[in-house]
Amino acid sequence: YMEYRAIVRAVDKSANDGATPSDVAKAFDRYAAVDDITSITGKDLQVAKNGEKVTVSYAYEKRIPLIANASLVLEYQGSSRR
């Protein structure tokens, strides 16, 4: 959950910092390095520009091994709030 909150913050900041998809991805990767985000990278983001507004969307899975061949799979998705 803590990594998810860090991703939400990084996506929101990246949407404000970048004007192009590559700018947004680079900004996200910088924030991810600082916040130790490992589940998603800048190239996993979907960036849409609608006029002056940049919307960044993402979706990913987090697998947590439990025992033997059993894992817990958490699915996350969201978009920037701007």
Side-chain angles (χ1 to χ4, degrees), residues 24-46:
V24 171
K26 289 175 187 175
F28 180 85
D29 287 337
R30 284 193 306 271
Y31 292 120
V34 171
D35 290 334
D36 195 29
I37 297 170
T38 58
S39 296
I40 190 171
T41 65
K43 65 183 175 186
D44 298 320
L45 303 175
Q46 294 83 40

Side-chain angles (χ1 to χ4, degrees), residues 2-80:
M2 292 178 65
E3 184 180 48
Y4 173 73
R5 297 302 311 151
I7 290 171
V8 169
R9 283 191 306 274
V11 165
D12 287 342
K13 290 178 186 176
S14 300
N16 291 330
D17 291 352
T20 67
S22 64
D23 289 344
V24 171
K26 289 175 187 175
F28 180 85
D29 287 337
R30 284 193 306 271
Y31 292 120
V34 171
D35 290 334
D36 195 29
I37 297 170
T38 58
S39 296
I40 190 171
T41 65
K43 65 183 175 186
D44 298 320
L45 303 175
Q46 294 83 40
V47 180
K49 190 168 183 178
N50 193 2
E52 292 297 315
K53 183 178 177 183
V54 175
T55 303
V56 182
S57 302
Y58 57 93
Y60 67 98
E61 290 183 349
K62 179 75 174 180
R63 293 184 179 270
I64 302 169
L66 296 177
I67 55 172
N69 62 349
S71 296
L72 175 65
V73 179
L74 302 172
E75 296 178 348
Y76 295 100
Q77 65 182 10
S79 63
S80 59

